[in-house]
mmCIF file of all heavy atoms in Angstrom:
data_model
loop_
_atom_site.group_PDB
_atom_site.id
_atom_site.type_symbol
_atom_site.label_atom_id
_atom_site.label_comp_id
_atom_site.label_asym_id
_atom_site.label_seq_id
_atom_site.Cartn_x
_atom_site.Cartn_y
_atom_site.Cartn_z
ATOM 1 N N CYS Z 272 121.846 -213.929 -145.774
ATOM 2 C CA CYS Z 272 121.391 -213.130 -146.909
ATOM 3 C C CYS Z 272 120.111 -213.731 -147.485
ATOM 4 O O CYS Z 272 119.632 -213.307 -148.522
ATOM 5 C CB CYS Z 272 122.484 -213.050 -147.967
ATOM 6 S SG CYS Z 272 123.193 -214.643 -148.361
ATOM 7 N N ALA Z 290 111.000 -228.403 -163.485
ATOM 8 C CA ALA Z 290 111.290 -229.766 -163.942
ATOM 9 C C ALA Z 290 111.354 -230.725 -162.755
ATOM 10 O O ALA Z 290 110.953 -231.888 -162.869
ATOM 11 C CB ALA Z 290 112.608 -229.785 -164.725
ATOM 12 N N GLY Z 292 109.750 -230.138 -159.827
ATOM 13 C CA GLY Z 292 108.341 -230.149 -159.401
ATOM 14 C C GLY Z 292 108.151 -230.589 -157.962
ATOM 15 O O GLY Z 292 109.035 -230.389 -157.116
ATOM 16 N N ARG Z 310 106.904 -215.617 -141.955
ATOM 17 C CA ARG Z 310 106.510 -214.342 -141.331
ATOM 18 C C ARG Z 310 107.700 -213.502 -140.900
ATOM 19 O O ARG Z 310 107.621 -212.299 -140.781
ATOM 20 C CB ARG Z 310 105.586 -214.621 -140.134
ATOM 21 C CG ARG Z 310 104.133 -214.313 -140.529
ATOM 22 C CD ARG Z 310 103.223 -214.386 -139.360
ATOM 23 N NE ARG Z 310 102.685 -215.726 -139.241
ATOM 24 C CZ ARG Z 310 102.335 -216.307 -138.116
ATOM 25 N NH1 ARG Z 310 102.474 -215.696 -136.982
ATOM 26 N NH2 ARG Z 310 101.823 -217.522 -138.104
ATOM 27 N N LEU Z 322 121.235 -223.070 -143.336
ATOM 28 C CA LEU Z 322 121.752 -223.607 -144.598
ATOM 29 C C LEU Z 322 120.593 -223.714 -145.587
ATOM 30 O O LEU Z 322 119.424 -223.762 -145.184
ATOM 31 C CB LEU Z 322 122.394 -224.975 -144.369
ATOM 32 C CG LEU Z 322 123.707 -224.926 -143.570
ATOM 33 C CD1 LEU Z 322 124.213 -226.329 -143.268
ATOM 34 C CD2 LEU Z 322 124.792 -224.133 -144.305
ATOM 35 N N ILE Z 325 117.823 -226.107 -150.941
ATOM 36 C CA ILE Z 325 118.057 -226.387 -152.372
ATOM 37 C C ILE Z 325 119.518 -226.776 -152.591
ATOM 38 O O ILE Z 325 119.838 -227.747 -153.270
ATOM 39 C CB ILE Z 325 117.671 -225.170 -153.256
ATOM 40 C CG1 ILE Z 325 116.159 -224.925 -153.168
ATOM 41 C CG2 ILE Z 325 118.104 -225.380 -154.705
ATOM 42 C CD1 ILE Z 325 115.645 -223.771 -154.003
ATOM 43 N N ARG Z 339 123.458 -217.467 -156.277
ATOM 44 C CA ARG Z 339 124.801 -217.891 -156.697
ATOM 45 C C ARG Z 339 125.762 -216.708 -156.716
ATOM 46 O O ARG Z 339 126.913 -216.809 -156.338
ATOM 47 C CB ARG Z 339 124.708 -218.510 -158.103
ATOM 48 C CG ARG Z 339 125.935 -219.299 -158.513
ATOM 49 C CD ARG Z 339 125.694 -220.063 -159.799
ATOM 50 N NE ARG Z 339 124.904 -219.314 -160.772
ATOM 51 C CZ ARG Z 339 125.376 -218.367 -161.569
ATOM 52 N NH1 ARG Z 339 126.645 -218.056 -161.510
ATOM 53 N NH2 ARG Z 339 124.588 -217.736 -162.409
ATOM 54 N N CYS Z 360 127.288 -207.934 -147.023
ATOM 55 C CA CYS Z 360 127.631 -209.253 -146.494
ATOM 56 C C CYS Z 360 128.713 -209.068 -145.424
ATOM 57 O O CYS Z 360 129.710 -208.382 -145.658
ATOM 58 C CB CYS Z 360 128.151 -210.103 -147.654
ATOM 59 S SG CYS Z 360 129.098 -211.534 -147.137
ATOM 60 N N ARG Z 365 134.261 -207.417 -143.963
ATOM 61 C CA ARG Z 365 135.474 -207.845 -143.256
ATOM 62 C C ARG Z 365 136.664 -207.845 -144.216
ATOM 63 O O ARG Z 365 137.727 -207.325 -143.912
ATOM 64 C CB ARG Z 365 135.275 -209.241 -142.646
ATOM 65 C CG ARG Z 365 136.358 -209.617 -141.650
ATOM 66 C CD ARG Z 365 136.434 -211.100 -141.380
ATOM 67 N NE ARG Z 365 136.815 -211.899 -142.535
ATOM 68 C CZ ARG Z 365 138.055 -211.986 -143.033
ATOM 69 N NH1 ARG Z 365 139.031 -211.323 -142.475
ATOM 70 N NH2 ARG Z 365 138.303 -212.719 -144.112
ATOM 71 N N ARG Z 407 143.556 -191.671 -156.399
ATOM 72 C CA ARG Z 407 144.824 -191.060 -155.960
ATOM 73 C C ARG Z 407 144.543 -190.041 -154.872
ATOM 74 O O ARG Z 407 145.244 -189.958 -153.872
ATOM 75 C CB ARG Z 407 145.523 -190.381 -157.142
ATOM 76 C CG ARG Z 407 146.709 -191.174 -157.633
ATOM 77 C CD ARG Z 407 147.546 -190.326 -158.581
ATOM 78 N NE ARG Z 407 147.097 -190.457 -159.952
ATOM 79 C CZ ARG Z 407 147.403 -191.479 -160.731
ATOM 80 N NH1 ARG Z 407 148.161 -192.441 -160.282
ATOM 81 N NH2 ARG Z 407 146.978 -191.549 -161.968
ATOM 82 N N ASP Z 411 145.628 -190.106 -150.770
ATOM 83 C CA ASP Z 411 146.728 -189.160 -150.543
ATOM 84 C C ASP Z 411 146.861 -188.904 -149.038
ATOM 85 O O ASP Z 411 146.050 -188.188 -148.440
ATOM 86 C CB ASP Z 411 146.444 -187.851 -151.301
ATOM 87 C CG ASP Z 411 147.620 -186.899 -151.237
ATOM 88 O OD1 ASP Z 411 148.484 -187.073 -150.356
ATOM 89 O OD2 ASP Z 411 147.661 -185.971 -152.070
ATOM 90 N N ASP Z 435 129.679 -181.883 -168.634
ATOM 91 C CA ASP Z 435 128.622 -181.058 -169.228
ATOM 92 C C ASP Z 435 129.106 -180.235 -170.422
ATOM 93 O O ASP Z 435 128.364 -179.998 -171.361
ATOM 94 C CB ASP Z 435 128.064 -180.073 -168.177
ATOM 95 C CG ASP Z 435 127.321 -180.805 -167.070
ATOM 96 O OD1 ASP Z 435 126.950 -181.970 -167.281
ATOM 97 O OD2 ASP Z 435 127.123 -180.205 -166.000
ATOM 98 N N VAL Z 442 140.165 -184.310 -173.332
ATOM 99 C CA VAL Z 442 140.537 -184.038 -171.932
ATOM 100 C C VAL Z 442 141.563 -185.045 -171.444
ATOM 101 O O VAL Z 442 141.432 -186.245 -171.662
ATOM 102 C CB VAL Z 442 139.277 -184.116 -171.025
ATOM 103 C CG1 VAL Z 442 139.658 -183.913 -169.571
ATOM 104 C CG2 VAL Z 442 138.258 -183.075 -171.449
ATOM 105 N N GLY Z 467 120.582 -183.956 -142.641
ATOM 106 C CA GLY Z 467 119.621 -183.580 -143.696
ATOM 107 C C GLY Z 467 119.419 -184.709 -144.687
ATOM 108 O O GLY Z 467 118.298 -185.018 -145.103
#
Side-chain angles (χ1 to χ4, degrees):
C272 48
R310 257 188 269 150
L322 290 175
I325 295 181
R339 195 171 39 80
C360 161
R365 193 198 65 75
R407 255 193 271 281
D411 187 342
D435 293 342
V442 177

